[in-house]
Amino acid sequence: QSVYIRGSGNSGIPVVLNVTENIIENSSILVFPNPADNEVNIVSLSEEEAIENWIVIDNLGREIKSGNPDKSDRSLIFNTSDFANGFYSLKITLSNGKIFIKKILINH
């Protein structure tokens, strides 16, 4: 949901009023190793919750890498050898709609 604010000389600036996401902070997802060098593993510990998609976001908010595994996959590995050293956010969405945000450190 966005609202446009009219200002002096501006045609409008979008402002986000709310974001509805089911963000969960428990440990039914494993992300390892952390810190990572060349690859990161994601594992869903629940047999009912497959990984629907994942996105890696850098500190500037740019999407660096993403994927949509097979609908029944509960684990995956993605390559990080082309990432610069630093911190990234990993957003993982499960098949039941749960969203996990994990911080990862890449250190080559």
Side-chain angles (χ1 to χ4, degrees):
Q1 182 177 11
S2 296
V3 171
Y4 291 90
I5 300 172
R6 303 259 180 228
S8 58
N10 292 335
S11 61
I13 301 168
V15 177
V16 177
L17 293 181
N18 69 9
V19 176
T20 305
E21 290 185 326
N22 186 18
I23 298 176
I24 308 295
E25 288 296 333
N26 66 20
S27 295
S28 63
I29 288 286
L30 291 179
V31 175
F32 62 93
N34 197 6
D37 184 8
N38 293 317
E39 64 183 26
V40 171
N41 298 268
I42 305 172
V43 178
S44 171
L45 299 176
S46 171
E47 291 184 23
E48 297 86 33
E49 299 173 337
I51 300 167
E52 185 171 300
N53 64 60
W54 55 274
I55 302 169
V56 178
I57 302 163
D58 71 7
N59 285 333
L60 298 176
R62 297 176 297 195
E63 183 178 310
I64 301 300
K65 195 169 214 170
S66 63
N68 296 319
D70 291 336
K71 295 297 181 195
S72 61
D73 283 352
R74 290 184 22 243
S75 65
L76 63 90
I77 299 171
F78 65 91
N79 188 306
T80 59
S81 62
D82 58 340
F83 286 28
N85 288 343
F87 285 97
Y88 296 84
S89 296
L90 174 60
K91 180 180 178 181
I92 305 158
T93 304
L94 299 181
S95 55
N96 63 0
K98 290 182 183 175
I99 297 171
F100 294 82
I101 307 288
K102 301 284 187 174
K103 294 289 185 187
I104 57 174
L105 172 62
I106 303 301
N107 188 16
H108 302 292

